[in-house]
Amino acid sequence: MSASDSQELRYNPQAVEAKWQQIWEKEKTFRAVEDRQREKFYCLVMFPYPSGRIHMGHVRNYTIGDVIARHQRMLGKNVLNPMGWDAFGMPAENAAKKQNSAPSRWTYANIDAMRQELKTMGLAYDWDRELATSDADYAHWEQALFLKLFDRGLVYRKKSLVNWDPVDQTVLANEQVIDGRGWRSGALVERRELSQWFLRITAYADELLDGLETLPEWPATVRTMQANWIGRSHGLEFSFDLEGLSEKLPVYTTRPDTIMGVTFCSIAAEHPLARRVADQNPEIAAFIQECMKSGTSEESLERLEKKGFDTGFKAIHPLTGERIPVFIANFVLMSYGTGAVMAVPAHDQRDFEFAQVHGLPIRIVIQPPGQTLEVATLREAWTGPGIMVNSQLFDGLDHETGKTQVMDEFVRRGLGRRRTHYRLRDWGISRQRYWGNPIPMIHCERCGVVPVPEADLPVSLPEQVDLHVQGNPLDHLATFTDVFCPQCHGPARRETDTMDTFMESSWYYLRYCCRDFQEGPLDVDRVNYWMPVDQYIGGIEHAVLHLLYARFFHKALRDEGLVASDEPFRRLLTQGMVRKDTLFCSEHGWRYPVEVAEEGGTLVCSACRQPIVVGRNEKMSKSKNNVVDPAELIRGYGADTARLFMLFAAPPQQDLEWSDTGVDGAWRFLNRLWRLVRDVAVLVPGIAPAQTTPDEPGLKELRTKTHETIDKVGRDLERFGFNTAIAAVMELVNVGTRWLSENQTPEGNPQALAVLRELAETAVLLLHPLVPHITEELWQILGQGKPLAFQSWPKADPQALVRGEITIIVQVNGKLRAKLTVPADIAQADLESLAHHDPAILGNLQGKTVVKTIVVPGRLVNIVAK
RNA sequence: GCGAAAGUGGCGAAACUGGUAGACGCCCUGGACUUAGGAUCCAGUGCCUUCGGGUGUGGGGGUUCGAAUCCCCCCUUUCGCACCA
């Protein structure tokens, strides 16, 4: 037993963490101040919805962000690392209904609770910049931005489809529609048209797509997903004449090369032509009604069994003059293109299936290279490349050339035009809900739609509101809706739609830059100092919507002169989910681990003794009883253990599997670190860290390892390899600990003490961004006055990295047969000869003839022999 | 349905541009120690083995001196799909 084992020198995370959190808070260590002399670094994590408790997903997200922010700070950057709350949204309304309380009360109480929890994680935030999107000033300036967009023509109203619950008389979110029924009422959901507010994101479609190429530090997967989402396609738009009707049927196609294979047309259920027929034909009206009884999501539409109904109309093929039928089909989207398509069953799978069901002709017009398709044996559509056939003057053309020539022919004859279409639709921002930012508009019978004058902003949410009414509560509040028209001063009605919460998250990163600015939404100077965000971190589930809306909003504000950059987020990291096993009992449903017992080697439900089905790792979720409460973890092990486990268990982009024993492992490592640094600290008062490498082999190895670790951890953090960075420091700590136990009395060896101090300080410095509390404390124990938060990141000494000897592997026919330890600067010929004369190799080569020898310098020798 | 990813020991994972597969950690086995601690330390730990070696990165082919890594086909799992945030 040594004196250093005494009680007060044991690692006590609770005391250490409280101590440093208080110091950081009191000293405002992480307050960010604009300083044009210094290089800035804006580190941003996706802000949370204030659900009331933080969960492991938050812990992971904010730990990753914190490591990056603290690392950049040590690299000398002026770091902005803010935190706030995405505070509007449906859950507050649902909770308030349940508790007979107000959404704002519920929300702000949750924020207070979550802020408290977050503070126990030791995150390096500038809390002075905290914001909640439901704050009066945030809502105010968002309304002002909305009006600016309105002035620029980027806001308009149009009819669009919503999920309508006929019993509750309310609009449902897609997630509130379960198997086609309303989650509360259980009523069959209908598609219904409503006048709604839209932002013209499609005006920026090209820039949003092309801009992806300026974002090399975004994950390729996210860029691909956004590109697919925008879905720019080049094609042909033309119209079919309709027999006996004056109007035409416009269609859009990306496959003009299949024009001669058209055997019918399909239109959406909402298509005007479909409605026309419905008026006269009750059967068709019933079919359209049937189509309207599915959700509005693209998924639900496309998963439908392909169904259709003949309208009786005949369209005239523009090139052949052939009469072809027009069908209503439930898989045609009114929101894409013209809501009508030319159908080519031989070369489109959906058309193929549809034609089979309805007995429609199939005509092959593209023959794939090397085969000949026949209608009689066709089992599925051929959508690949090929040569055009049965296409008159286009016969024999490669289908790509054919595309161009068919379009040229249509344009030349005035039958159609080339068009670029997008899958991207304009952004519907109207929500028929109370707890959101009001859309600042007024409806006047005489003047039409009139914006609320800027001087009258903000339009505030009324606090006294009955949430239990059907539909949008704001509709029923005369004190809110009854206003005078700002133009004619006559009686008018206030808009009651509130904004999509994606509006708030589209510009919060800008408001953080100038949280206290009161003259307008944004203080341009400060915003332009901090922007763009250098590192954005959040869940992959936001790959498309939030990240696309925010990019659009940013570009629109740029054109308004409020920001200078073209893109808001320079570098993006999308982290995976936190998952854990689930335990399911057929009798009692999802069980908590404590509700499960082990009997005879199998798990059973402790209530009913039924066997438990252990689920694969699933996303932590309250409903599945597989959540681990971060607060409990932090109370038990401390924030540093929680952070270390999160960072070590998996690379950040990947899903993380929860493991209680893994947490123990993290805890044990911090204790090993603590003991090593404490033991070194006892030995090295007054000793400076080593500046040069001693000649003694053991010390030389220690110092080389120290600097190799600096080198590796630096590179690892750069590429978010937190797990391998930790592994590298673990190796360093293991090496240091072993050296210390094998060299009991290094007191008389100043060189050894200097190397030891350098090793211990290095481990502490390198780990500081990851586990900030314990490292601050150890830094102090090492006798350092200035906190680690103000220290610079260590630099590897290039001379210490040079190794004299290296290990070379020797292979015979690609298989490992021997290892050689050779001088690092060995000549290639010497190495080759050494390999050929190695006893193990000689044995292996017996009876074989050497064909050739491949030498990879510094790595291996491969002898090819027969 | 469309789109995007991922498959490596008992488990989480590592392997820079094709060059020692399994670093680091967990679990487990054997041993040591005792201020009995959330211990700690030492040794072992992919599989098979006649102890020479053989074999092994979801499956099947291919390219290469050499493939977890590159190419083709197949299988499985996860995520997103516009009113959840």
Side-chain angles (χ1 to χ4, degrees):
Chain A
M1 175 198 132
S2 73
S4 56
D5 271 340
S6 64
Q7 197 61 32
E8 68 265 26
L9 279 174
R10 282 185 53 187
Y11 173 43
N12 177 350
Q14 284 74 22
V16 167
E17 292 182 1
K19 168 184 164 183
W20 287 100
Q21 282 165 18
Q22 269 168 34
I23 291 172
W24 295 330
E25 178 141 11
K26 193 168 130 252
E27 312 271 327
K28 289 193 186 285
T29 305
F30 303 109
R31 188 169 58 178
V33 180
E34 294 75 19
D35 179 353
R36 258 149 258 276
Q37 307 304 309
R38 293 180 62 202
E39 191 185 346
K40 64 90 183 178
F41 189 94
Y42 188 172
C43 182
L44 183 68
V45 292
M46 291 182 185
F47 63 171
Y49 179 81
S51 59
R53 304 294 300 270
I54 61 172
H55 55 67
M56 284 300 172
H58 295 131
V59 173
R60 190 174 193 201
N61 190 192
Y62 308 148
T63 298
I64 293 167
D66 205 51
V67 174
I68 294 169
R70 286 177 183 268
H71 180 223
Q72 290 295 328
R73 183 185 159 94
M74 289 177 84
L75 289 171
K77 308 275 178 61
N78 187 23
V79 173
L80 171 59
N81 186 29
M83 177 46 74
W85 313 95
D86 192 10
F88 278 132
M90 247 174 18
E93 227 162 301
N94 295 334
K97 257 189 230 175
K98 231 190 224 167
Q99 305 173 357
N100 253 320
S101 155
S104 70
R105 264 186 65 182
W106 182 85
T107 301
Y108 283 95
N110 283 352
I111 288 175
D112 287 341
M114 283 177 80
R115 186 192 305 107
Q116 215 48 47
E117 282 197 284
L118 277 187
K119 287 196 171 176
T120 65
M121 283 183 60
L123 301 162
Y125 292 135
D126 177 358
W127 283 104
D128 289 353
R129 293 176 187 253
E130 177 186 354
L131 62 81
T133 55
S134 54
D135 289 344
D137 68 322
Y138 194 86
H140 176 177
W141 298 122
E142 184 167 292
Q143 291 171 15
L145 290 176
F146 175 89
L147 293 179
K148 283 184 196 292
L149 298 184
F150 180 78
D151 290 340
R152 293 188 73 81
L154 291 172
V155 177
Y156 68 98
R157 239 163 107 75
K158 74 167 179 190
K159 288 203 160 181
S160 114
L161 292 172
V162 295
N163 297 310
W164 181 257
D165 185 322
V167 171
D168 281 352
Q169 297 279 301
T170 185
V171 177
L172 296 178
N174 282 332
E175 70 154 19
Q176 295 175 320
V177 181
I178 296 152
D179 293 332
R181 293 172 182 276
W183 68 325
R184 245 189 250 280
S185 68
L188 276 175
V189 169
E190 299 166 10
R191 275 188 266 169
R192 179 180 276 211
E193 276 198 319
L194 235 56
S195 264
Q196 310 234 60
W197 291 96
F198 282 82
L199 293 193
R200 211 179 293 279
I201 189 173
T202 51
Y204 286 81
D206 283 320
E207 206 199 326
L208 287 168
L209 183 61
D210 299 337
L212 292 172
E213 281 165 36
T214 69
L215 299 171
E217 300 199 86
W218 278 38
T221 70
V222 174
R223 282 181 285 149
T224 308
M225 285 167 86
Q226 291 211 351
N228 289 337
W229 188 263
I230 294 166
R232 181 162 65 191
S233 69
H234 303 287
L236 175 69
E237 188 174 291
F238 68 94
S239 291
F240 287 94
D241 286 330
L242 293 167
E243 197 176 66
L245 287 175
S246 55
E247 70 227 68
K248 292 164 179 265
L249 179 64
V251 296
Y252 171 75
T253 180
T254 56
R255 290 296 304 274
D257 51 316
T258 62
I259 183 74
M260 292 308 197
V262 175
T263 54
F264 61 101
C265 285
S266 307
I267 62 175
E270 297 90 18
H271 196 279
L273 203 59
R275 295 179 187 203
R276 261 259 299 277
V277 225
D279 290 344
Q280 285 141 28
N281 185 331
E283 254 185 296
I284 290 181
F287 175 70
I288 291 174
Q289 273 301 308
E290 189 61 36
C291 289
M292 300 300 277
K293 273 194 185 136
S294 69
T296 58
S297 78
E298 190 170 304
E299 183 195 0
S300 57
L301 288 178
E302 295 215 10
R303 272 181 187 265
L304 288 176
E305 189 194 341
K306 312 267 176 303
K307 279 188 189 167
F309 211 100
D310 194 343
T311 60
F313 289 122
K314 298 293 178 216
I316 307 300
H317 192 291
L319 297 187
T320 64
E322 196 182 348
R323 295 167 74 243
I324 56 172
V326 177
F327 278 79
I328 301 169
N330 61 358
F331 57 87
V332 177
L333 305 175
M334 191 60 214
S335 50
Y336 183 75
T338 58
V341 294
M342 65 177 216
V344 186
H347 304 291
D348 181 286
Q349 188 57 26
R350 292 179 301 185
D351 294 342
F352 181 80
E353 289 169 28
F354 194 85
Q356 300 253 298
V357 173
H358 294 272
L360 294 160
I362 295 171
R363 195 169 300 151
I364 292 165
V365 292
I366 304 284
Q367 285 295 359
Q371 358 169 357
T372 306
L373 301 177
E374 308 237 5
V375 172
T377 56
L378 202 61
R379 304 287 297 275
E380 58 181 9
W382 172 259
T383 55
I387 302 297
M388 293 175 69
V389 295
N390 299 327
S391 298
Q392 297 172 5
L393 68 155
F394 304 107
D395 277 354
L397 290 177
D398 153 68
H399 87 284
E400 278 299 336
T401 317
K403 265 185 199 175
T404 315
Q405 296 216 358
V406 170
M407 286 198 279
D408 287 348
E409 180 70 9
F410 269 80
V411 171
R412 196 177 57 76
R413 290 168 58 176
L415 293 172
R417 57 187 183 126
R418 288 164 181 274
R419 270 209 77 176
T420 301
H421 260 283
Y422 302 90
R423 202 184 77 96
L424 179 69
R425 310 200 293 261
D426 275 335
W427 174 14
I429 59 152
S430 277
R431 297 292 181 269
Q432 287 69 43
R433 315 202 180 281
Y434 164 79
W435 189 235
N437 196 12
I439 292 174
M441 288 287 173
I442 286 167
H443 301 273
C444 170
E445 272 187 25
R446 270 186 289 177
C447 311
V449 177
V450 183
V452 173
E454 236 187 291
D456 294 351
L457 295 183
V459 177
S460 310
L461 282 176
E463 303 220 345
Q464 297 297 319
V465 65
D466 181 5
L467 294 173
H468 294 273
V469 295
Q470 288 183 324
N472 182 353
L474 292 174
D475 276 336
H476 304 266
L477 261 188
T479 50
F480 183 76
T481 57
D482 295 356
V483 287
F484 293 104
C485 170
Q487 267 171 30
C488 69
H489 306 291
R493 186 174 161 86
R494 188 185 293 289
E495 172 64 60
T496 57
D497 286 354
T498 51
M499 296 187 215
D500 180 5
T501 56
F502 278 125
M503 282 288 282
E504 283 85 58
S505 52
S506 289
W507 73 287
Y508 75 111
Y509 52 91
L510 297 171
R511 186 66 186 174
Y512 279 144
C513 299
C514 52
R515 176 69 190 92
D516 54 7
F517 191 60
Q518 283 313 321
E519 282 102 78
L522 298 171
D523 179 349
V524 175
D525 277 351
R526 280 195 276 169
V527 166
N528 287 337
Y529 172 71
W530 291 113
M531 288 298 290
V533 172
D534 294 280
Q535 181 65 60
Y536 196 25
I537 306 130
I540 183 72
E541 65 273 19
H542 296 289
V544 178
L545 294 181
H546 159 59
L547 286 167
L548 194 64
Y549 292 145
R551 291 180 61 217
F552 155 64
F553 214 85
H554 190 267
K555 287 172 191 295
L557 295 187
R558 174 203 59 195
D559 293 343
E560 189 65 35
L562 288 170
V563 293
S565 43
D566 288 325
E567 291 284 346
F569 314 122
R570 196 172 64 76
R571 200 174 187 201
L572 175 70
L573 172 61
T574 48
Q575 108 255 0
M577 300 180 306
V578 181
R579 321 205 297 182
K580 192 173 184 291
D581 290 340
T582 51
L583 304 164
F584 190 81
C585 165
S586 53
E587 183 94 2
H588 294 90
W590 303 103
R591 305 300 275 164
Y592 289 100
V594 293
E595 296 171 331
V596 170
E598 207 188 316
E599 265 178 24
T602 56
L603 294 176
V604 297
C605 174
S606 42
C608 64
R609 304 285 145 192
Q610 297 284 321
I612 287 284
V613 180
V614 179
R616 289 177 32 80
N617 272 286
E618 295 188 57
K619 181 177 180 174
M620 281 192 178
S621 121
K622 267 186 205 161
S623 61
K624 291 186 177 166
N625 291 354
N626 67 337
V627 295
V628 175
D629 180 10
E632 226 169 275
L633 179 69
I634 291 170
R635 222 176 294 125
Y637 289 87
D640 285 337
T641 293
R643 294 170 59 124
L644 189 72
F645 167 71
M646 287 275 165
L647 295 165
F648 183 63
Q653 297 88 341
Q654 208 165 304
D655 282 359
L656 184 151
E657 234 175 87
W658 184 260
S659 154
D660 289 328
T661 55
V663 174
D664 281 330
W667 160 259
R668 282 201 289 263
F669 170 66
L670 290 182
N671 277 281
R672 270 189 285 148
L673 172 75
W674 181 273
R675 283 195 299 271
L676 172 66
V677 175
R678 179 199 61 190
D679 291 348
V680 170
V682 173
L683 294 169
V684 298
I687 303 279
Q691 300 282 319
T692 56
T693 308
D695 290 329
E696 193 194 321
L699 295 180
K700 191 173 156 73
E701 174 60 30
L702 267 194
R703 186 154 197 267
T704 301
K705 186 75 186 170
T706 300
H707 285 268
E708 280 176 348
T709 308
I710 294 174
D711 187 54
K712 174 156 177 59
V713 171
R715 280 183 288 122
D716 282 353
L717 291 193
E718 204 54 53
R719 60 171 188 90
F720 312 127
F722 307 118
N723 53 338
T724 51
I726 292 166
V729 182
M730 282 176 169
E731 283 188 49
L732 182 65
V733 168
N734 291 346
V735 166
T737 305
R738 197 170 311 128
W739 192 93
L740 210 55
S741 75
E742 287 167 1
N743 298 268
Q744 294 296 333
T745 51
E747 284 90 338
N749 185 347
Q751 277 194 326
L753 295 180
V755 169
L756 278 178
R757 173 179 277 278
E758 190 189 27
L759 185 150
E761 287 191 355
T762 297
V764 168
L765 280 162
L766 294 179
L767 286 175
H768 180 247
L770 298 88
V771 282
H773 311 89
I774 186 175
T775 46
E776 282 285 13
E777 189 66 18
L778 288 172
W779 192 245
Q780 218 172 51
I781 288 173
L782 280 165
Q784 298 282 2
K786 195 169 114 190
L788 271 177
F790 299 95
Q791 292 294 331
S792 298
W793 189 250
K795 283 197 180 71
D797 173 358
Q799 291 196 306
L801 291 175
V802 179
R803 279 183 183 274
E805 290 194 318
I806 53 172
T807 303
I808 298 285
I809 61 154
V810 185
Q811 301 177 328
V812 175
N813 292 332
K815 286 190 176 145
L816 176 68
R817 296 300 178 196
K819 292 182 188 183
L820 300 174
T821 303
V822 298
D825 55 357
I826 189 167
Q828 197 158 320
D830 294 344
L831 180 60
E832 196 171 328
S833 137
L834 219 54
H836 278 279
H837 291 100
D838 185 275
I841 299 302
L842 283 172
N844 227 284
L845 286 177
Q846 248 170 29
K848 292 177 192 154
T849 317
V850 174
V851 179
K852 63 173 165 175
T853 304
I854 289 148
V855 179
V856 182
R859 283 203 177 267
L860 61 76
V861 178
N862 187 13
I863 300 166
V864 186
K866 277 185 180 154

